[in-house]
Amino acid sequence: MEPAHNVSEFVLLGLTQSQETEKICFVLFSVFYTVIVVGNLLIIITVKRSQSLISPMYFFLSYLSFVVICYSTVIAPKMIADFLAERKTISFAGCMTQLFFGHFLGGTEMFLLTVMAYDRYIAICKPLHYINIMTGHVCGWMVLGSWTGGFLHSIIQTLLTTQLPFCGPNEIDHYLCDVHPLLKLACTDTYIVGLVVANTGMLSLTCFVVLVTSYIVILVYLRKSSTEGCLKALSTCTSHITVLVIFFGPSIFMYLRPSTTFSEDKTVSVFYTVFTPMLNPLIYTLRNEEVKNAMRKMWIQKVSFDNK
């Protein structure tokens, strides 16, 4: 039987109820979104055009930046527009679309970060075998696997959510469509879907533990040497670990729990929907000399071309 949907749209209560605060947030988050798009787009262009950034790490980084742009675009423009709207609404189809693509791209980013950690492990701990292991074919399959994993991660909970009957309340105490707030509105027992959401949190925790373990192994390995190459690798690993903590911390808090909502959820969500995507280009460029040098070279070439 088709689920009984008496709700054609949802009303989003937004990030804050203060009109003055919303105006300030409109300006701030517009700047944040611009930084996200421009910063990550600059990384993609730099990696694609630079002859020095041809290693698998930068191949994965360019895809990570692309995913980050797409993920932010699913969330941020709607949130920014709602800061100026008196009544914040989203259609049922639009809500489910945002839910699907949010988790699809978020899951893909999670798997890409895992792949990048594996790449660093092989490069640092097994350097003599790196070229034979991390071939272009293997890297391509890893990226495809990340997209597939993100899709499967999202489609299951999205299908379960769309099958829930929504027959009355339609106010979502959030600035986006997510599983926890939607479960509160369903006119049926949501225990099974709640378990799926908890499994999402378990998946995030598992990836996080695997990633932390791999970087601990790398750091222990690096302690044996103080060469310039190892110090450079240590700097790269530090950047990756920073991204992991900022990305996985809020995700684990949000999804590794029963189907309940907390007053802190909206604030925590801002971290992985806005702040992490914005910090991604800053962390990977300001702490990476190769990327900074490639950007300088690209800029100098552009200025020289414009002056001709």
Side-chain angles (χ1 to χ4, degrees):
M1 294 179 62
E2 290 292 325
H5 295 318
N6 295 331
V7 175
S8 59
E9 66 176 16
F10 293 102
V11 178
L12 299 171
L13 298 185
L15 188 61
T16 177
Q17 304 298 315
S18 170
Q19 291 186 351
E20 291 301 319
T21 304
E22 286 190 329
K23 292 177 182 177
I24 296 173
C25 286
F26 173 81
V27 176
L28 286 177
F29 282 86
S30 295
V31 173
F32 293 160
Y33 179 62
T34 302
V35 172
I36 292 170
V37 174
V38 173
N40 284 284
L41 193 59
L42 183 59
I43 290 178
I44 296 173
I45 295 173
T46 302
V47 171
K48 296 299 182 184
R49 295 187 59 180
S50 176
Q51 297 297 319
S52 61
L53 304 179
I54 57 175
S55 69
M57 181 178 72
Y58 299 112
F59 173 77
F60 294 132
L61 178 58
S62 63
Y63 272 97
L64 178 66
S65 295
F66 174 73
V67 171
V68 166
I69 292 174
C70 295
Y71 177 72
S72 299
T73 302
V74 170
I75 307 296
K78 170 63 177 172
M79 177 178 63
I80 293 170
D82 282 345
F83 284 133
L84 300 181
E86 293 185 10
R87 189 169 183 269
K88 307 168 181 59
T89 62
I90 185 170
S91 66
F92 183 88
C95 183
M96 296 305 156
T97 300
Q98 186 182 66
L99 173 67
F100 170 75
F101 281 103
H103 284 272
F104 171 37
L105 295 165
T108 302
E109 181 177 355
M110 178 173 61
F111 290 119
L112 275 174
L113 289 170
T114 306
V115 166
M116 291 175 73
Y118 176 75
D119 171 71
R120 289 300 84 203
Y121 168 76
I122 298 297
I124 295 170
C125 298
K126 298 183 179 182
L128 298 179
H129 303 283
Y130 182 73
I131 296 177
N132 294 328
I133 295 175
M134 300 301 295
T135 64
H137 185 71
V138 170
C139 292
W141 277 107
M142 284 182 169
V143 171
L144 179 60
S146 298
W147 284 104
T148 304
F151 176 81
L152 294 176
H153 157 80
S154 180
I155 194 65
I156 294 173
Q157 57 186 354
T158 303
L159 289 176
L160 287 174
T161 304
T162 56
Q163 293 304 307
L164 294 174
F166 297 95
C167 52
N170 69 336
E171 285 190 346
I172 299 177
D173 188 15
H174 215 303
Y175 61 85
L176 55 83
C177 285
D178 205 356
V179 180
H180 280 311
L182 287 170
L183 293 184
K184 291 182 64 177
L185 305 181
C187 307
T188 187
D189 182 22
T190 59
Y191 178 75
I192 299 298
V193 182
L195 288 179
V196 174
V197 177
N199 286 336
T200 300
M202 184 59 69
L203 179 62
S204 299
L205 179 62
T206 302
C207 287
F208 181 71
V209 171
V210 170
L211 290 166
V212 170
T213 303
S214 68
Y215 280 116
I216 290 175
V217 173
I218 291 173
L219 293 175
V220 170
Y221 181 87
L222 290 175
R223 286 185 62 185
K224 301 176 183 178
S225 176
S226 60
T227 62
E228 182 180 349
C230 287
L231 293 175
K232 176 182 172 182
L234 180 61
S235 176
T236 302
C237 290
T238 303
S239 301
H240 289 193
I241 292 171
T242 304
V243 173
L244 295 181
V245 173
I246 298 174
F247 178 76
F248 280 98
S251 298
I252 292 171
F253 171 82
M254 288 295 297
Y255 300 109
L256 191 62
R257 70 189 196 208
S259 56
T260 56
T261 56
F262 299 127
S263 57
E264 297 86 2
D265 285 356
K266 288 188 283 188
T267 303
V268 173
S269 296
V270 170
F271 277 91
Y272 64 83
T273 58
V274 178
F275 289 154
T276 303
M278 182 177 63
L279 292 175
N280 179 60
L282 298 177
I283 291 172
Y284 280 112
T285 55
L286 296 181
R287 294 186 60 86
N288 191 306
E289 287 298 327
E290 286 185 342
V291 176
K292 287 192 291 186
N293 291 335
M295 286 183 175
R296 289 193 200 100
K297 184 177 180 181
M298 188 174 66
W299 176 256
I300 292 172
Q301 290 175 345
K302 181 180 184 303
V303 172
S304 299
F305 178 80
D306 292 340
N307 290 335
K308 288 183 180 179

